[in-house]
Amino acid sequence: MLRASPRLLLLLPTVTYRTVAFVEAARRLGIDLTVASERPSTFERANSTGLVTLDFADPTHAAAQAQAFARAHLVHGVVAVDDDTAVVAAAIAQELGLRGNPVAAARAARDKHQQRQLLAAAGVAVPRFELLTIAADPKRVAGHAAYPCVLKPLRLSASRGVVRVDTPAEFVAAFERIKRILEQAGCEMRDAGGGGQHASPIPHPASRSLLVEAFVPGREVAVEGLVTQGALRVLAIFDKPDPLDGPFFEETIYVTPSRLAQTAQQQIVACAQVAVGALGLREGPIHAEIRHNDQGAWLIELAARAIGGRCSGALRFESRETGSGKRETSLEEIIIRHALGMNLPTIERERQAAGVMMIPVPGAGVLREVRGVDAARAVPLVEEVVITMYPGQTLVPWPEGSRYPGFIFARGETSEAVEAALRAAHARLEFLTEPAD
């Protein structure tokens, strides 16, 4: 009798870049895949085991829905792809007895203020912070703030709404600007149908608050890792060679391996491990943003999910199964194997340096045409140039925006060569826009 393949429940929001990478990874592993989204699909009836609708706005309700699905179709693992679904995945894992994080830990990773409180209590180096509601008087707060400082929403991602300020006047202007961004984000959730039938009409408290943090100078890196029984396994450390000093924090280039000194990298890894423990994370991928300066490593943010966007394409691993040779493995395959409790072979990142550029938004306006894509692809070491926005879509710069117009990937012998190739390819691109109505 043939043994059934394990089934993975993959939580994919309607708007995400991650679909193809995870679906392809599941296909390579030969597992059964059920994709859960917050909106019903017209194909759901025709593929009742492959597609399911869950209430992402209510993790408890989503877990009950997943339980009902699992009665007919046994589920062996659950994976989330973003911050919000990480909390849903934790609730489902708890309900179904699957490998995952405690719900409280996933919530703490999702909420920047709660995360700050737990990290500070555990002795993790974090910026000084203060929680404000949007009803606060920004002029009064600006008068006693220490500068430079950073204002940021509690739950928006991709540095949306994050602003550095150096003076009281800039503080007041940034405060009002973030209020408008939070209002807009709330409208987007309602327009997208986020909330489901059990959603409360009352805005989440996090949408009514923001953090004021001391600005931490230094080199910033991204840490990609996998947590198993609370122990962090670092898969990659990405340098961010472009300074992230503000006033806004749109990211551009990620390159690995890191060029920081080994001592600095050890401090960064230790910081991430202590942060994982402080939040109570037990199982699954993490993505951390850490700064390093003369005082050591500072935890800026830690998320209970993998790297966002299409950036995982910059990571390739060489895995060695017992008794077999090496094979190429993606980050998504590693995450799926872990969630399903499958054997995790010896894994090492490929020997080549690799990097990705999140193509900066060239300015506000409606995209009409992108020129130079073929020329950018022709740059030595460049493997792929992907434009993810289409003519007619509106480009929105940071801090209001959070979506990149595309990605450039490169590989080479050194991190320096990869960074140079990414910059050369970007220089060949031309974005033609016209003013939005």
Side-chain angles (χ1 to χ4, degrees):
M1 181 175 180
L2 293 176
R3 183 179 178 184
S5 298
R7 179 173 300 279
L8 178 77
L9 183 62
L10 179 64
L11 309 187
L12 278 175
T14 304
V15 181
T16 179
Y17 292 115
R18 306 305 303 281
T19 304
V20 173
F22 272 104
V23 171
E24 178 60 21
R27 184 195 64 79
R28 287 195 298 267
L29 291 171
I31 67 168
D32 291 332
L33 180 66
T34 298
V35 173
S37 189
E38 76 278 23
R39 288 187 184 181
S41 168
T42 55
F43 299 104
E44 194 169 320
R45 288 187 179 181
N47 187 9
S48 60
T49 61
L51 298 168
V52 65
T53 303
L54 300 181
D55 186 358
F56 287 172
D58 185 341
T60 301
H61 184 225
Q65 291 173 311
Q67 178 68 273
F69 175 85
R71 291 191 190 103
H73 313 286
L74 189 61
V75 174
H76 301 85
V78 57
V79 167
V81 301
D82 69 359
D83 296 315
D84 287 322
T85 55
V87 180
V88 179
I92 292 172
Q94 179 177 284
E95 181 73 17
L96 301 185
L98 305 175
R99 175 177 278 189
N101 287 310
V103 175
R107 289 190 187 279
R110 180 69 185 95
D111 185 289
K112 293 180 175 64
H113 181 241
Q114 187 179 359
Q115 181 175 142
R116 283 281 179 266
Q117 290 178 308
L118 292 173
L119 296 179
V124 179
V126 295
R128 296 187 313 275
F129 62 94
E130 178 182 2
L131 180 67
L132 297 179
T133 71
I134 60 173
D137 178 0
K139 291 183 180 179
R140 181 188 62 79
V141 180
H144 66 72
Y147 297 95
C149 60
V150 175
L151 281 64
K152 61 172 62 172
L154 297 189
R155 298 186 63 173
L156 299 185
S157 58
S159 297
R160 184 181 183 187
V162 181
V163 183
R164 169 182 164 160
V165 297
D166 296 332
T167 67
E170 290 180 358
F171 186 107
V172 174
F175 186 95
E176 297 298 339
R177 191 169 186 174
I178 294 171
K179 279 179 63 175
R180 293 191 294 271
I181 291 171
L182 289 171
E183 291 168 359
Q184 177 62 31
C187 291
E188 290 169 359
M189 288 185 64
R190 289 191 293 272
D191 291 345
Q197 67 185 74
H198 287 257
S200 168
I202 302 173
H204 191 283
S207 68
R208 312 286 299 174
S209 304
L210 56 89
L211 275 183
V212 180
E213 298 183 346
F215 174 75
V216 177
R219 297 284 298 276
E220 184 165 311
V221 301
V223 176
E224 203 66 23
L226 185 69
V227 179
T228 304
Q229 296 182 350
L232 174 64
R233 178 180 187 175
V234 172
L235 301 176
I237 299 178
F238 285 101
D239 284 343
K240 302 180 184 183
D242 287 336
L244 289 167
D245 293 331
F248 313 128
F249 294 87
E250 177 185 18
E251 295 187 303
T252 51
I253 294 176
Y254 276 29
V255 178
T256 190
S258 173
R259 287 163 280 182
L260 290 177
Q262 194 62 35
T263 301
Q265 293 189 46
Q266 290 170 351
Q267 292 173 340
I268 287 166
V269 172
C271 177
Q273 174 63 79
V274 175
V276 164
L279 296 179
L281 297 172
R282 298 293 301 165
E283 302 286 347
I286 64 103
H287 177 77
E289 312 287 346
I290 297 176
R291 291 208 171 198
H292 190 273
N293 57 30
D294 292 341
Q295 295 177 302
W298 297 73
L299 202 293
I300 303 301
E301 288 185 13
L302 189 148
R305 44 96 179 152
I307 192 170
R310 294 202 178 189
C311 296
S312 67
L315 290 175
R316 292 177 187 164
F317 300 90
E318 293 178 346
S319 66
R320 184 185 294 276
E321 302 275 5
T322 302
S324 64
K326 290 184 178 181
R327 63 180 290 269
E328 188 176 283
T329 301
S330 69
L331 176 63
E332 288 77 14
E333 284 186 62
I334 294 172
I335 292 170
I336 291 173
R337 279 179 173 271
H338 176 269
L340 293 172
M342 298 171 67
N343 177 52
L344 270 176
T346 301
I347 298 170
E348 296 179 355
R349 202 194 66 78
E350 64 178 337
R351 293 185 180 183
Q352 280 192 307
V356 56
M357 172 182 275
M358 292 155 272
I359 299 173
V361 174
V366 176
L367 180 63
R368 289 305 173 206
E369 184 182 357
V370 183
R371 296 176 179 174
V373 175
D374 288 340
R377 288 174 178 151
V379 171
L381 306 187
V382 169
E383 290 190 334
E384 191 175 13
V385 179
V386 182
I387 304 301
T388 53
M389 297 188 74
Y390 302 96
Q393 290 185 293
T394 301
L395 297 171
V396 182
W398 272 247
E400 284 77 14
S402 61
R403 186 176 181 189
Y404 297 93
F407 301 84
I408 305 172
F409 298 89
R411 278 180 168 77
E413 290 300 314
T414 66
S415 295
E416 291 82 359
V418 169
E419 178 185 341
L422 293 171
R423 295 191 190 281
H426 178 238
R428 298 187 180 188
L429 296 177
E430 182 182 5
F431 289 81
L432 304 182
T433 63
E434 62 182 35
D437 294 335

